[in-house]
Amino acid sequence: MASVCLFALSTPSHAVEGMFTPDQLPEIADDLREAGLELDPSTLTDLTEFPMGAVVSLGGCTASFVSPEGLVVSNHHCVRGSIQYNSTEENNYLQDGFLAADRTEEVPASPGSRIYVTTELTDVTERVNAGLTSDMTGTERYAAIEAAQKEIVAECEETEGYRCRVSSFFGGLQYKLIRQMEIRDVRLVYAPGDNIGKYGGDIDNWMWPRHTGDFGFYRAYVGPNGEPAEYSEDNVPYEPEHVLEVSASGLDDGDFVMVAGYPGRTSRYVRLIDTAHTFDWYYPTWIEVSQAKVDTIMDTATDGSDARIRYESSLASLNNYIKNRGGQIEGARRVGLTDLRAEREAALDAWIAADPSRAHYGEAIAALDALSAESNASDERDFWYNNATSPALLSAAQSLYRLANERELPDAERKSGYQDRDMTSFRQRMQRIDRRYDAGVDMALWDRMLEFYMNAGEENRTPVLDEALGLGDTYDAAEIAALLAPFYEGTTLDNAETRFALMDASVEELEALDDPFMQLAIALYDYEMETENRNNEISGQTNALRPAYMEAIIDWQRSEGITTYPDANSTLRITHGSVLGGSPRDGMAYLPFTTLEGILEKDTGEAPFDAPQAQLDLIEAGEYGPYAMESLGSVPVNYLTDLDSTGGNSGSATLNAQGQLVGLLFDGTIESVNSDWHFDPRTTRSIHVDTRYMLWVMDYVSGADYLIEEMNVVSE
């Protein structure tokens, strides 16, 4: 065992902390070449060229074009919502998998599914900041920034078929306009069943060794004229300018790898006061409440029932984050995160104090910390209120009533999410409720959340909610059940056509509507607007202070020879490293690859370790085909790298030195999850599904031969 540990630790590593924006790559070009990249690093800065032009966003996950006929590959868990949406008790695609025999059998993805092809990034910092003055209140500053962003977006979206947004970098120090083609006709093509695509389930989630075939395929369709269009039988597959070659020869230990994707959020620069608040109160409390939600769903919706199918996506998401945040708490303890934050802040303070010209940095940082203390004080009350008002139909009623109020304003003055540009996605949110809602489960969840709320202490009660629901001083199960039942018995919002019709209703019409959920939404509206205004004031004040903090970080790190990368914010990023095992703790060794034989060792025949019998038979017989890895003597299933990644990177293309697809990033080890807050090169490891395993499953298990033929599979 000692020799194995030494081997894992001594394998050459090129790990680089940081999820870099494409325009930062010239600063690390020499590092990329030295690490093994054979492409010209300058090509990676052009989002319309190879390979970046093949990498797309699903709006929460990453995907890539792998054929000139619009075929898109991503993680199984990224397309699983569409599998769930199309599943019934009679045709349970979650259990059995889905494979369209041909294009006529491809089915629409879940409502709101999108493929976003990024075409342009433009720095718009000067324009966003042009109207800001030092004497503005926080609310005025927030409104001015929002107005500037909406104006820029409106101009960008004058071209039909494009979706634009302005994203903030370095805490508001920089703003960029991101222009994306919005492909709205997305169809499910192929995904294995959960017994491959989610093999190991929540037990193996965030764990190593792993044996999960976390992959699935969509196809992008556009109108006959080649422009984005809503679903129609007349639509044709989108023809991307660039596609990735799919490698059948894969990688070996120590090889260079690079990931291009859309990581969600990191908190590398969050101050100590907010870090401590998150780990001391928010994460532990969130885990307790979320576990109660999982338990309630499991107790109320029997396994295999239509109700359970409706909540499968919710369960998967909750379980994923419960384990993630538990790992984050443990990781923070292991590395001493709060001590590291304190040390960094002391070093930054010393750098500021060393030069009187830097004094303005210190003043801004002190004010920022004071503002955080004020904001954190209200978080607990807001948390319990939000959970106590989380029923699906109440949320729908709140959105509909807010829409009616916003429509009394000119479109440009409406809140983002309620403008004309948002109505398609708004309608699809209303539609999705039908396949993700069950009255019995929803009422049980509401009951449980009210129990938490009523037991959270008098200081966390919200009088307007107590009065609207008629809540007593203490929780009584029978009383709460009697209060909630009339909401579900008397509502018409459980009908999609009703919700669609109410999108055009006026404020007066909604106020006259005899629906208990709508009446509750109306009763809570003024309080929620007051809360939103309070948060906007704090956000505006924060925006006036945080850029100075980040400028101090950048200048300080530059003096130390470090290139500062921005925290992840769901925009395109590149990170690189190598295939690498490791030793995350004393006495533990992680080898870099798992194999088909590991599936045999794990399989019990019971979910989540219930691989298809046909697959087990093939493994027993050693039917590897051309996909075996010589050094392993088997087909590799998953592998580890030392890449810097986070949520949102799911589905990201893992590329070799030539820019060929060699896998999909789908997870990290449990020891890695705290990298959202702190990068530790010893423990940070990303988990990828190997393209050789993907091809083997498609070829030998699922019979998806025509998709293999459609892709450009290379063996060198």
Side-chain angles (χ1 to χ4, degrees):
M1 180 62 74
S3 61
V4 172
C5 291
L6 288 172
F7 174 77
L9 289 170
S10 62
T11 303
S13 174
H14 307 293
V16 175
E17 175 184 351
M19 304 171 199
F20 294 92
T21 58
D23 60 290
Q24 288 187 303
L25 295 185
E27 300 179 56
I28 62 168
D30 290 342
D31 294 335
L32 286 165
R33 292 189 188 95
E34 183 180 347
L37 178 66
E38 297 178 16
L39 298 173
D40 181 351
S42 66
T43 63
L44 302 178
T45 65
D46 191 337
L47 305 183
T48 63
E49 294 298 327
F50 178 85
M52 305 306 291
V55 179
V56 298
S57 171
L58 300 181
C61 284
T62 304
S64 304
F65 286 115
V66 287
S67 95
E69 298 173 272
L71 191 66
V72 170
V73 65
S74 186
N75 284 154
H76 185 273
H77 73 262
C78 293
V79 306
R80 195 169 182 271
S82 295
I83 307 170
Q84 176 265 325
Y85 186 82
N86 285 286
S87 291
T88 62
E89 288 187 63
E90 295 75 24
N91 294 297
N92 191 340
Y93 299 129
L94 290 169
Q95 175 180 298
D96 303 327
F98 176 84
L99 175 63
D102 54 40
R103 287 180 195 165
T104 64
E105 293 193 3
E106 295 172 0
V107 296
S110 60
S113 296
R114 295 287 187 268
I115 293 173
Y116 297 99
V117 183
T118 301
T119 59
E120 189 177 356
L121 263 73
T122 307
D123 192 306
V124 292
T125 307
E126 289 187 10
R127 187 171 174 187
V128 171
N129 291 334
L132 304 182
T133 61
S134 59
D135 60 348
M136 281 181 161
T137 65
T139 299
E140 290 169 341
R141 190 177 189 89
Y142 178 89
I145 292 172
E146 184 181 49
Q149 291 175 320
K150 287 194 288 190
E151 182 180 33
I152 294 168
V153 165
E155 291 177 5
C156 180
E157 292 184 351
E158 288 178 357
T159 303
E160 180 69 23
Y162 284 84
R163 193 75 170 179
C164 304
R165 62 190 171 102
V166 175
S167 291
S168 168
F169 295 78
F170 298 112
L173 189 62
Q174 184 182 57
Y175 292 91
K176 293 180 183 178
L177 171 66
I178 296 125
R179 185 173 187 262
Q180 297 176 313
M181 177 185 288
E182 181 186 32
I183 296 176
R184 304 192 296 273
D185 186 351
V186 181
R187 305 184 195 180
L188 182 64
V189 178
Y190 161 62
D194 280 356
N195 54 6
I196 292 177
K198 200 185 173 187
Y199 190 79
D202 296 321
I203 296 173
D204 270 8
N205 192 22
W206 303 105
M207 306 302 289
W208 188 260
R210 197 72 175 273
H211 299 83
T212 309
D214 203 340
F215 68 95
F217 290 85
Y218 280 147
R219 193 182 304 278
Y221 281 81
V222 291
N225 61 356
E227 298 297 325
E230 298 295 337
Y231 172 86
S232 170
E233 293 183 1
D234 296 329
N235 286 352
V236 297
Y238 172 68
E239 298 179 4
E241 292 186 24
H242 301 283
V243 300
L244 298 179
E245 295 178 332
V246 180
S247 174
S249 54
L251 297 162
D252 210 332
D253 192 15
D255 282 355
F256 171 89
V257 287
M258 174 177 66
V259 155
Y262 292 82
R265 298 283 168 182
T266 54
S267 304
R268 302 273 173 87
Y269 305 108
V270 169
R271 298 280 296 170
L272 173 61
I273 186 172
D274 291 319
T275 303
H277 176 71
T278 298
F279 284 90
D280 292 346
W281 181 79
Y282 178 67
Y283 277 177
T285 307
W286 185 93
I287 289 172
E288 180 186 5
V289 172
S290 296
Q291 186 59 57
K293 291 179 181 179
V294 169
D295 295 342
T296 301
I297 294 170
M298 298 283 282
D299 291 343
T300 312
T302 58
D303 189 27
S305 66
D306 186 62
R308 176 66 67 85
I309 291 172
R310 289 170 184 262
Y311 285 86
E312 281 291 348
S313 291
S314 297
L315 284 171
S317 178
L318 285 166
N319 281 319
N320 181 58
Y321 277 105
I322 288 169
K323 200 164 189 177
N324 176 290
R325 287 178 170 169
Q328 298 227 29
I329 293 171
E330 170 58 24
R333 182 204 61 77
R334 186 176 63 250
V335 302
L337 180 63
T338 54
D339 290 341
L340 290 172
R341 282 289 197 270
E343 291 169 9
R344 182 175 73 184
E345 292 181 11
L348 179 61
D349 290 346
W351 177 81
I352 292 171
D355 187 336
S357 69
R358 301 168 187 159
H360 65 288
Y361 289 148
E363 294 167 1
I365 291 171
L368 185 64
D369 284 352
L371 191 61
S372 290
E374 177 186 341
S375 177
N376 291 342
S378 63
D379 274 1
E380 187 169 349
R381 183 174 182 175
D382 290 347
F383 176 86
W384 296 118
Y385 174 85
N386 290 336
N387 277 285
T389 56
S390 59
L393 299 187
L394 175 57
S395 297
Q398 290 170 315
S399 295
L400 289 164
Y401 189 63
R402 178 67 180 270
L403 176 62
N405 279 272
E406 292 292 334
R407 278 197 162 147
E408 295 185 344
L409 301 172
D411 187 61
E413 297 179 18
R414 296 177 197 165
K415 181 73 175 177
S416 178
Y418 296 91
Q419 294 179 283
D420 290 343
R421 68 189 289 268
D422 303 311
M423 287 304 96
T424 297
S425 59
F426 190 104
R427 181 183 175 88
Q428 288 166 335
R429 288 201 306 274
M430 295 293 108
Q431 181 181 356
R432 279 197 299 271
I433 294 172
D434 276 1
R435 289 301 303 155
R436 296 181 180 177
Y437 165 81
D438 176 86
V441 177
D442 194 78
M443 186 165 71
L445 285 168
W446 195 9
D447 186 315
R448 187 68 179 93
M449 292 305 101
L450 286 172
E451 182 178 3
F452 272 111
Y453 166 78
M454 297 178 74
N455 291 332
E458 185 63 31
E459 69 278 9
N460 290 312
R461 298 287 288 266
T462 303
V464 66
L465 176 62
D466 291 355
E467 182 179 349
L469 283 178
L471 298 178
D473 293 333
T474 59
Y475 173 82
D476 180 275
E479 289 180 2
I480 294 299
L483 286 174
L484 300 190
F487 281 87
Y488 296 89
E489 295 166 358
T491 188
T492 59
L493 293 178
D494 54 354
N495 180 275
E497 293 303 321
T498 299
R499 297 192 296 272
F500 295 156
L502 292 177
M503 287 177 61
D504 296 318
S506 67
V507 171
E508 292 75 16
E509 288 170 333
L510 292 180
E511 290 177 348
L513 188 67
D514 184 21
D515 186 283
F517 280 114
M518 184 60 70
Q519 290 304 313
L520 179 58
I522 293 167
L524 301 176
Y525 182 75
D526 287 344
Y527 170 78
E528 295 191 345
M529 292 303 296
E530 291 171 6
T531 301
E532 183 176 301
N533 291 335
R534 180 196 73 202
N535 291 337
N536 290 347
E537 171 67 22
I538 292 174
S539 178
Q541 292 182 42
T542 300
N543 180 270
L545 300 169
R546 193 175 295 279
Y549 165 58
M550 286 308 305
E551 189 174 6
I553 288 282
I554 292 168
D555 289 349
W556 170 50
Q557 291 192 334
R558 184 183 296 117
S559 72
E560 302 286 326
I562 299 170
T563 298
T564 304
Y565 56 89
D567 262 323
N569 62 350
S570 299
T571 60
L572 189 61
R573 303 297 178 91
I574 294 93
T575 182
H576 71 91
S578 59
V579 178
L580 185 71
S583 178
R585 62 186 70 179
D586 183 51
M588 177 180 287
Y590 285 168
L591 296 178
F593 289 93
T594 59
T595 67
L596 292 180
E597 281 65 31
I599 297 173
L600 286 180
E601 294 174 4
K602 283 185 175 179
D603 206 81
T604 63
E606 299 290 334
F609 300 102
D610 56 341
Q613 188 59 48
Q615 183 184 31
L616 298 175
D617 293 342
L618 288 164
I619 300 171
E620 289 273 15
E623 292 284 347
Y624 305 142
Y627 308 113
M629 180 175 170
E630 185 176 348
S631 60
L632 289 179
S634 183
V635 177
V637 177
N638 298 149
Y639 60 88
L640 290 174
T641 68
D642 55 6
L643 291 169
D644 192 358
S645 65
T646 188
N649 269 127
S650 290
S652 290
T654 308
L655 307 175
N656 62 14
Q658 297 83 38
Q660 297 167 339
L661 186 72
V662 289
L664 300 173
L665 194 157
F666 72 92
D667 209 352
T669 60
I670 194 65
E671 298 86 6
S672 301
V673 295
N674 195 244
S675 64
D676 281 2
W677 295 80
H678 172 74
F679 182 86
D680 181 359
R682 176 184 177 183
T683 60
T684 301
R685 294 294 182 272
S686 294
I687 305 176
H688 312 248
V689 58
D690 198 299
T691 48
R692 289 166 289 194
Y693 181 60
M694 293 164 54
L695 292 167
W696 182 82
V697 170
M698 295 171 71
D699 194 353
Y700 283 76
V701 182
S702 297
D705 310 66
Y706 78 97
L707 293 178
I708 297 176
E709 294 172 3
E710 182 179 331
M711 298 185 292
N712 185 8
V713 179
V714 295
S715 300
E716 296 181 3

